[in-house]
Amino acid sequence: MKYIDEFQDPELARRLLDDIHATVTRPWALMEVCGGQTHSIIRHGIDQLLPDNIELIHGPGCPVCVTPLEVIDKALEIASRPEVIFCSFGDMLRVPGTGRDLFQVRGEGGDVRVVYSPLDALRIAQQHPDREVVFFGIGFETTAPPNAMTVHQARKLGIPNFSMLVSHVRVPPAIEAIMSSPSCRVQGFLAAGHVCSVMGMGEYPELAERFRVPIVVTGFEPLDILEGVRRTVRQLERGEHTVDNAYARAVRAEGNLAARAMLEDVFEVTDRAWRGIGVIPQSGWRLASKYRAYDAEHRFSVEGIRTQEPAECRSGEVLQGLLKPHECEAFGTLCTPRTPLGATMVSSEGACAAYYLYRRLDMPATKAQEATPVV
Amino acid sequence: MSDTTDLPVPALDVEAWTCPAPLRDRPRVVMGHGGGGVLSAELVQQIFAPAFGGEVLAQMGDAAVLSLGGARLAFSTDSYVVRPLFFPGGSIGDLAVNGTVNDLAMSGARAAYLSCGFILEEGVELDVVTRVSEALGAAARTACVEVATGDTKVVEAGHGDGIYINTAGIGLVPAGVDLRPQRVVPGDVVIVSGAIGVHGVAVMSVREGLEFGVEIKSDCAALGGLVDAMLAVTPDLHVLRDPTRGGLAAALNEIAQASGTGVVIQERDVPVPPAVANACAILGLDPMYIANEGKLVAFVPREHADAVLGAMRAHPLGADSVIIGEAVEGHPGMVVARTGLGGTRVVDLPIGEQLPRIC
């Protein structure tokens, strides 16, 4: 398969691994920011192949995982209304709100639909002028531009029955929050390649300099990740802390200027709560005031919904790299992919779900047995 | 951030383990209950089996094997609710025959007779009913099975997707054939009869209006002839599975858990066509969990593996058969994939249905 198999080549992977093994002289803790990278690392067994003294910490880069509980509850409230067709990407349907998820809302008669693009939701709004169509606009800088474009189109075409429940988040403020924590152990970052393909690399040099950490823009295939690790470790061993692009086939320094202009027009930066972590200043986007008419929170008067996170869930510590998923008391017992306490166990990109699915062999036998579904 | 160091770890009775949050947590049916994964299994184990199950139902095979009047009969039923009714490479009519014929074939039986129940939605065009019926008839002739009895019901408009079909089938199990997961032993070789994920992606492409660059046609086919060819080599096959809902991953997990052995597969040897791999990469799905309708997975004693593989490859429906792994003593009940890079991962039973990922 052109351009996919090439980045999964075992021989090339072996060479990169040899280089990493030869380079490392002491323990280093690296954080891969993106959930897609976490998934790839676990799925391909990359963490098992790295030297023992390289620790990969799984960062808060899964959009499903970090969407706050109260935003899910707002989605459940809106989706339950008989006049609403609620459209979402698939993996949000299983994220637990307070006591239920969107699948259950659908089971109770709510019109909840999986779409593959926000523009699909706009099309549904055009096809059903007598219904209110709401799209669940969540995610990082990767999903924000098409969502912005959709709201822009809705206004341009004058489609009154479309709105968006927005809970977008931005990566650089999260890196800053993690590095500012007194308990932070992260010494180098693999930055999310797809985020940088939109936003470019301009926000990172200041962070790399201030916190003295190398930041290497990294892709998602196994060889991409190994190359990102290799470059990060090289910098650490040399005492360097620069921003490097190991994903040049997709990322330009300035990013995607058209996408950035669209974000600038439709959204405005705001403080945002991250599930399990809390509020990070200036870490999110909301619809700009001129697009307020398309804001589902406002349209359906759900701004007042406030929700407490379950106390048993330690996903916040997992998302900050302070706790490995299987070190949590609830892992595999109270908390499994089918009974998730927190979103890190819901999304296939969540660190807890990735450990549950792919790493049970490495766990203590009792934990592994508890975590095995019985057929 | 919460401090949970004082939280007691719940004690689990692993001997009689059931999910810590059983069905009562979901007061209504969700789509995942029909997905062939954990939720489906719980529905059967916690509601259906206690209500009306007996010794035979407890076999939990694709088909029940019954002794009746001195004969060993295989008996199976399946309902077909596919949307759209027609997809590249087949239709609900083809599925209604081949699905049940294949369930019987997995017990070693050649399907002899089918029943066919139509549930039609008010308003569906008779032309559509005709085309589906003709496809069903053609598939039955190809599979050499006769539709012996049937039923028709009509539901009000809005209460169905045009046409639902239920078929049940019976067939004779040849003497000396005993296909059950309990017969699997460490050392058995795992063979899959060709490319996986094709049917699921074909249906998805038309249902969701997705374009993957090339048309992917369903592999929908009746496997009785292929199974006959395998049994002609040796009746001593251990188990066959038709990896439909939940895909290859669900089939391997069911066998691992029912046999109490572990299963190891070499990920690079699992035949995933480029078009399926691309579609799954776009949607964030795993081909191991995608439905198949014309493939089987076999656990074969090591000494017969080469001969069985040869017979499969000589049959048109098994030309691309390949060995993908083996049953092992370690990690009983668990399926483990060796990744292309040399790492390992657990291949789990799907919870409900796979969901396309956000990014």
Side-chain angles (χ1 to χ4, degrees), chain B residues 187-210:
Chain B
D188 279 2
V189 170
V190 183
I191 304 174
V192 68
S193 65
I196 65 162
V198 180
H199 171 77
V201 169
V203 171
M204 212 181 311
S205 66
V206 283
R207 179 159 59 203
E208 311 297 350
L210 300 169

Side-chain angles (χ1 to χ4, degrees), chain B residues 111-301:
Chain B
Y113 296 102
L114 293 182
S115 72
C116 178
F118 274 89
I119 299 172
L120 306 175
E121 184 185 8
E122 178 187 35
V124 71
E125 295 94 343
L126 286 174
D127 177 55
V128 171
V129 179
T130 303
R131 286 166 58 208
V132 167
S133 302
E134 286 171 349
L136 192 149
R141 286 188 292 276
T142 302
C144 303
V145 63
E146 185 177 343
V147 178
T149 182
D151 176 58
T152 307
K153 293 285 185 293
V154 178
V155 295
E156 289 173 10
H159 289 255
D161 278 325
I163 299 178
Y164 297 145
I165 304 175
N166 171 275
T167 54
I170 53 170
L172 286 172
V173 181
V177 172
D178 182 18
L179 299 171
R180 289 179 291 121
Q182 291 77 10
R183 295 197 60 219
V184 170
V185 293
D188 279 2
V189 170
V190 183
I191 304 174
V192 68
S193 65
I196 65 162
V198 180
H199 171 77
V201 169
V203 171
M204 212 181 311
S205 66
V206 283
R207 179 159 59 203
E208 311 297 350
L210 300 169
E211 296 287 339
F212 300 123
V214 292
E215 186 183 62
I216 301 171
K217 287 190 169 176
S218 168
D219 55 355
C220 185
L223 296 168
L226 176 62
V227 173
D228 283 353
M230 296 165 71
L231 290 170
V233 173
T234 174
D236 190 32
L237 307 175
H238 284 171
V239 68
L240 302 178
R241 267 287 189 278
D242 170 21
T244 51
R245 289 178 315 168
L248 184 60
L252 293 174
N253 270 281
E254 286 167 16
I255 292 168
Q257 293 198 17
S259 67
T261 62
V263 175
V264 173
I265 59 170
Q266 304 296 329
E267 203 167 42
R268 287 189 88 81
D269 294 336
V270 176
V272 181
V276 170
N278 285 338
C280 288
I282 290 167
L283 297 172
L285 304 177
D286 186 336
M288 293 279 289
Y289 296 93
I290 304 278
N292 309 275
E293 285 294 345
K295 297 293 182 304
L296 62 80
V297 60
F299 281 61
V300 180

Side-chain angles (χ1 to χ4, degrees), chain A residues 63-64 88-92 136 138-139 143 349, chain B residues 283 356-359:
Chain A
V64 174
S88 171
F89 291 135
D91 48 2
M92 288 306 293
F136 201 174
I138 71 142
T143 52
E349 293 181 5
Chain B
L283 297 172
R357 295 211 320 262
I358 282 175
C359 69

